[in-house]
Amino acid sequence: MFFPATKYVFGRGVENKVAEELDAFGMKKPLVVYGKGSVIKSGLLDRVRKSLDNAGIRYAELGGVQPNPVDSKVYEGIEIAKREGIDSVLAVGGGSSIDTAKAIAAAIPYDGDFWDFFCGKSKVKKALPVGVVLTIPAAGSEGSGNTVITKLDGLHKLGMGSDVLRPKFALMNPELTFTLPPYQTAAGITDMMAHIMERYFSNTPEVEITDRIAEGLLKAIITEAPKIIAEPENYDARANIMWSGTLAHNGVCSGGREEDWATHGLEHELSAVYDVTHGAGLAVMFPAWMTYALQENPGKLAQFARRVFDIDEDDDYKAADEGIEKLKKFLSSIGMPVSMKELGIENPDVKLLAEKVTENKGEVFGNYIRINRDIAEKIYCIAAQ
Amino acid sequence: MFFPATKYVFGRGVENKVAEELDAFGMKKPLVVYGKGSVIKSGLLDRVRKSLDNAGIRYAELGGVQPNPVDSKVYEGIEIAKREGIDSVLAVGGGSSIDTAKAIAAAIPYDGDFWDFFCGKSKVKKALPVGVVLTIPAAGSEGSGNTVITKLDGLHKLGMGSDVLRPKFALMNPELTFTLPPYQTAAGITDMMAHIMERYFSNTPEVEITDRIAEGLLKAIITEAPKIIAEPENYDARANIMWSGTLAHNGVCSGGREEDWATHGLEHELSAVYDVTHGAGLAVMFPAWMTYALQENPGKLAQFARRVFDIDEDDDYKAADEGIEKLKKFLSSIGMPVSMKELGIENPDVKLLAEKVTENKGEVFGNYIRINRDIAEKIYCIAAQ
């Protein structure tokens, strides 16, 4: 089932339509959720406030959301939302603000603890409507029903999803991303590539349509990314990257296949333990996962190498191996780390990481290859080299 | 703006969920719209009726919709709908049934003549909800807000669209397409390719993401189509083709670009005057349009040739020319005509066709190249060769 029911409004100045879209979806008193940095400095938050004030829309606010958003901020938002009688949530920012907004939206109509949804104790059946003004193309949360939150007690970083959490609308102005620093831009690009690859590396046969879409998106990202790094205010390149971040995660790359998501699980522990940027952690963990997977299951890795990086090599193992090297080179070229050392982690506790990942993902996880604690440790060791 | 708000339910047996989905979208008394052939013979219509009966859902019926659906059937449906007090429309079939369903859905809440929407006199602002059980992957109407109807008086074949006409749900079981005859299967495949190409051939620069998606879909269709022709009950190939028909037309290939749609205009006159199958008409008209466009604007045609057909040729003109030949060969290989003669039209009245197309599309139409009556006549002449 694929129900991509988000209204995407794309282009210059679309953030000024925020009051209009809230009204269109009957969102009368939103909780505005945002971070602590650029949305404030850039003046965007003030412009959103003014739009709401001018339209006579009352709202409450939850600011200070941090990257790798945490449960304490969700609880804070729930309290404000209940106190103020809000009926909807408006995220102004990137994945962290949107994911926090979704968690709050799911929590309000639910009697129990919102963490129940994340630890699998309960499923989201209804939620307050969520709207988005997007400033960071990366997580794809603006077009998905997913959210990832870290529980501070024990540093459990877990995700959950439901179609009812898909944002009602997403206002996407590529200009709002002009001022993203190069490192964050590159981390976002890595994140969207990872979202595509988590779906792409699958043993489901005969999914040519979805394979070709995934490969096409990856090829396009690889073409557009260097343009942005060289020229941060290139509107067209920013627009292409912004849109690919959405398509990477809204389900159009999922169609009919078993997905993997092992690498996200492996990375989540890096983020939780060492507080690294999610995208940068993925730049380290994806090639490491691929290097291990190559030994067991080179087939799809070879197709990836041939179709995304145009590698002309008949032998699957060799083709796949070259593809991994090309991917690492690309990631390095946009300024991403491709080893834990480059990520600033000198002596990683691979045992702890492997223990935590199996604790959170299960004793055996992943689909393209199956990963237990031993294998997880091996993959972390590859990443540590 | 991109608001792909259709719920796609895909897989074996999903047609049995029809009552459930009608209920989920509050559709309490649908008008069931269908054609005259396979939905009846295959027993699908009876199964749908039984599902509705078992769920206690009352409904009215409009059968006998023909390919290239006509206004008289829409008027018949409007009358039944008003008399029976229906609140929604359920199409069981392909593009013709769905397009008829949409026209009725738009007409009911409107005071004037429904043709106003097609001749540009009025815009659709609201409509009854539409649901779909898809049996023919081709038109992509299950995921779009568009409808094309032919006015019998004067044989005007015109289209219109609105996001409010996007179906609420589409039940898509590839098994239902196993019995489609090879010619109709191939015509459907041509139609979906044409939907992608109408969007792809654009002068809008820097739309790499959407280009790559379009190219990926075309490549996948070219891979999957021969499998179906050889083996009509290949579920996976049927599934790939069914899904690509939706993606070809739901807007994911549109993102940020001016579209063309000249060839659809040119073909609509063929269908209206000579009553040919829409997809077969497109198989004739698309290469003809390309052959003319090549003289004026080879750039995107060359990209198409290189990326879709892997043509290794530096010169744009030569590459594009080879691409057109490859496309014709592909269409022939799946049993499609690539000239009017092969389509059974011996002495086409190219003057009449050119006159009618400018009457319906405007004195100058098309975007990738601009087409007036003279040029239209030239393109029809190329197709007639």
Side-chain angles (χ1 to χ4, degrees):
Chain A
M1 203 262 287
F2 179 42
F3 192 9
T6 300
K7 177 177 179 182
Y8 302 106
V9 186
F10 202 99
R12 290 187 169 91
V14 293
E15 67 275 19
N16 300 320
K17 297 188 176 176
V18 63
E20 194 181 309
E21 293 302 335
L22 286 169
D23 182 58
F25 288 95
M27 296 157 75
K28 301 210 179 300
K29 190 174 179 188
L31 177 70
V32 181
V33 177
Y34 54 91
K36 29 190 164 185
S38 61
V39 288
I40 301 169
K41 272 181 277 173
S42 70
L44 173 65
L45 183 65
D46 274 337
R47 287 197 291 136
V48 168
R49 283 176 180 143
K50 230 171 253 173
S51 293
L52 301 183
D53 289 339
N54 289 342
I57 295 171
R58 289 177 311 143
Y59 56 93
E61 287 194 13
L62 176 72
V65 174
Q66 64 184 54
N68 296 320
V70 293
D71 61 341
S72 60
K73 192 52 89 175
V74 176
Y75 288 116
E76 191 187 330
I78 294 168
E79 209 188 295
I80 298 171
K82 288 191 170 164
R83 194 176 62 220
E84 302 287 333
I86 67 124
D87 71 351
S88 53
V89 192
L90 174 70
V92 182
S96 302
S97 293
I98 307 170
D99 284 7
T100 302
K102 287 176 181 170
I104 296 166
I108 298 296
Y110 180 65
D111 285 334
D113 179 6
F114 91 91
W115 193 253
D116 291 354
F117 300 129
F118 289 82
C119 67
K121 241 176 90 180
S122 186
K123 284 200 173 212
V124 180
K125 295 216 178 83
K126 42 185 189 166
L128 299 186
V130 174
V132 173
V133 179
L134 187 66
T135 61
I136 306 173
S141 190
E142 69 280 4
S144 86
N146 299 96
T147 162
V148 178
I149 300 288
T150 298
K151 193 181 179 66
L152 283 171
D153 179 14
L155 292 179
H156 296 290
K157 185 171 180 177
L158 292 178
M160 65 101 172
S162 162
D163 271 330
V164 302
L165 287 174
R166 286 182 185 269
K168 297 300 171 193
F169 65 85
L171 302 174
M172 301 170 69
N173 175 2
E175 289 175 327
L176 298 181
T177 70
F178 283 0
T179 51
L180 270 182
Y183 189 79
Q184 212 178 341
T185 297
I189 288 165
T190 310
D191 196 15
M192 56 186 81
M193 291 179 79
H195 288 159
I196 299 167
M197 296 190 293
E198 295 282 18
R199 292 168 165 95
Y200 180 78
F201 290 107
S202 167
N203 296 313
T204 308
E206 302 289 341
V207 282
E208 185 70 4
I209 293 291
T210 319
D211 273 0
R212 287 289 187 189
I213 292 175
E215 291 153 359
L217 282 175
L218 289 169
K219 271 186 105 73
I221 292 168
I222 290 164
T223 305
E224 298 299 307
K227 294 184 195 170
I228 294 185
I229 302 298
E231 199 192 335
E233 304 206 354
N234 182 326
Y235 179 89
D236 291 328
R238 287 282 190 188
N240 273 297
I241 289 296
M242 194 174 217
W243 188 225
S244 65
T246 306
L247 295 177
H249 204 46
N250 84 335
V252 80
C253 292
S254 299
R257 63 175 71 216
E258 186 178 65
E259 304 181 3
D260 193 66
W261 295 98
T263 309
H264 263 70
L266 292 163
E267 195 290 320
H268 281 173
E269 304 314 324
L270 270 197
S271 280
V273 176
Y274 297 103
D275 198 28
V276 301
T277 304
H278 176 53
L282 287 167
V284 173
M285 292 314 302
F286 232 112
W289 174 86
M290 285 171 150
T291 302
Y292 184 86
L294 170 61
Q295 314 301 323
E296 281 192 25
N297 192 358
K300 203 66 182 268
L301 288 155
Q303 180 181 312
F304 164 83
R306 292 184 188 118
R307 292 190 181 179
V308 176
F309 284 110
D310 299 316
I311 286 165
D312 186 16
E313 164 61 59
D314 288 338
D315 182 75
D316 273 5
Y317 186 94
K318 282 188 202 160
D321 195 43
E322 275 186 55
I324 299 167
E325 282 312 305
K326 287 258 190 184
L327 176 65
K328 284 166 92 167
K329 255 194 196 154
F330 166 77
L331 294 170
S332 291
S333 78
I334 61 169
M336 282 287 101
V338 292
S339 71
M340 288 210 212
K341 199 175 248 176
E342 287 180 19
L343 196 55
I345 305 169
E346 283 291 340
N347 291 302
D349 188 342
V350 294
K351 279 205 186 307
L352 172 74
L353 290 166
E355 193 184 308
K356 285 185 69 69
V357 73
T358 46
E359 194 183 323
N360 284 325
K361 297 278 289 183
E363 278 311 306
V364 184
F365 63 99
N367 290 312
Y368 184 69
I369 57 167
R370 302 289 286 153
I371 298 175
N372 59 20
R373 197 196 291 198
D374 275 357
I375 296 173
E377 197 178 318
K378 281 181 191 159
I379 296 172
Y380 284 122
C381 283
I382 295 170
Q385 276 165 10
Chain B
M1 206 263 286
F2 179 41
F3 192 9
T6 301
K7 177 178 178 181
Y8 302 106
V9 186
F10 202 99
R12 291 185 168 92
V14 292
E15 66 276 20
N16 300 320
K17 298 190 174 174
V18 64
E20 193 181 311
E21 293 302 335
L22 286 169
D23 182 58
F25 289 96
M27 296 157 74
K28 300 208 179 302
K29 191 174 179 189
L31 176 70
V32 181
V33 176
Y34 54 91
K36 30 189 163 187
S38 61
V39 287
I40 301 169
K41 273 180 278 172
S42 70
L44 173 64
L45 183 64
D46 274 337
R47 286 197 289 137
V48 168
R49 284 175 180 143
K50 230 170 256 176
S51 294
L52 301 183
D53 289 340
N54 289 343
I57 295 172
R58 291 178 309 143
Y59 56 93
E61 286 195 15
L62 175 73
V65 174
Q66 64 183 54
N68 296 321
V70 294
D71 60 342
S72 58
K73 193 51 89 176
V74 177
Y75 289 116
E76 192 187 330
I78 293 169
E79 211 188 294
I80 298 171
K82 287 190 171 163
R83 195 176 63 221
E84 302 288 333
I86 68 123
D87 71 352
S88 53
V89 192
L90 174 70
V92 182
S96 301
S97 294
I98 306 170
D99 283 7
T100 302
K102 286 177 182 171
I104 297 165
I108 298 297
Y110 180 65
D111 286 334
D113 179 7
F114 92 90
W115 192 254
D116 292 354
F117 300 129
F118 289 81
C119 67
K121 241 177 91 181
S122 186
K123 283 200 172 209
V124 180
K125 296 217 180 82
K126 43 183 189 169
L128 300 186
V130 174
V132 173
V133 179
L134 187 67
T135 61
I136 306 174
S141 190
E142 69 280 4
S144 87
N146 300 97
T147 162
V148 178
I149 299 289
T150 298
K151 192 183 178 67
L152 284 170
D153 179 13
L155 292 179
H156 297 290
K157 185 172 181 177
L158 292 177
M160 65 102 171
S162 162
D163 272 328
V164 302
L165 287 173
R166 286 183 185 268
K168 297 299 170 196
F169 65 85
L171 302 174
M172 302 171 69
N173 175 1
E175 289 175 327
L176 298 181
T177 70
F178 283 180
T179 52
L180 270 182
Y183 189 79
Q184 212 178 341
T185 296
I189 287 165
T190 310
D191 197 14
M192 56 186 79
M193 291 179 78
H195 288 159
I196 299 167
M197 296 191 292
E198 295 282 17
R199 292 169 164 95
Y200 180 78
F201 290 108
S202 167
N203 297 312
T204 308
E206 303 287 342
V207 282
E208 186 70 3
I209 292 292
T210 319
D211 274 0
R212 287 288 186 189
I213 292 174
E215 291 152 359
L217 282 174
L218 289 169
K219 271 187 104 74
I221 292 169
I222 290 164
T223 305
E224 298 300 307
K227 295 185 194 169
I228 294 184
I229 303 299
E231 199 192 333
E233 304 205 355
N234 181 327
Y235 179 89
D236 291 328
R238 289 281 190 189
N240 274 297
I241 289 295
M242 194 174 217
W243 188 226
S244 64
T246 305
L247 295 178
H249 204 46
N250 85 334
V252 80
C253 292
S254 300
R257 62 175 71 214
E258 186 178 64
E259 303 181 5
D260 192 67
W261 295 99
T263 308
H264 263 71
L266 292 162
E267 196 289 320
H268 281 174
E269 305 313 325
L270 269 197
S271 279
V273 176
Y274 298 102
D275 198 28
V276 302
T277 303
H278 176 54
L282 287 168
V284 174
M285 292 314 302
F286 231 112
W289 174 85
M290 285 171 150
T291 303
Y292 184 86
L294 171 60
Q295 313 301 323
E296 281 192 24
N297 193 358
K300 202 68 181 266
L301 287 155
Q303 182 181 312
F304 165 83
R306 292 183 189 119
R307 292 191 182 178
V308 176
F309 284 109
D310 299 317
I311 286 164
D312 185 16
E313 164 62 59
D314 288 339
D315 180 76
D316 273 5
Y317 186 95
K318 282 188 201 160
D321 194 42
E322 274 186 55
I324 299 167
E325 281 314 303
K326 287 260 191 183
L327 177 64
K328 283 165 93 167
K329 254 194 197 154
F330 167 76
L331 293 169
S332 291
S333 78
I334 60 169
M336 282 288 102
V338 292
S339 70
M340 288 210 212
K341 201 175 246 175
E342 287 179 19
L343 196 55
I345 306 169
E346 281 292 339
N347 291 302
D349 189 342
V350 295
K351 278 205 187 309
L352 173 74
L353 291 166
E355 195 184 306
K356 285 184 67 68
V357 72
T358 46
E359 195 182 323
N360 284 324
K361 296 279 289 183
E363 280 310 307
V364 184
F365 64 98
N367 289 313
Y368 184 69
I369 58 166
R370 301 291 285 153
I371 299 176
N372 58 22
R373 197 196 292 199
D374 276 357
I375 296 173
E377 197 178 317
K378 281 180 192 160
I379 296 172
Y380 283 121
C381 283
I382 295 169
Q385 277 164 11

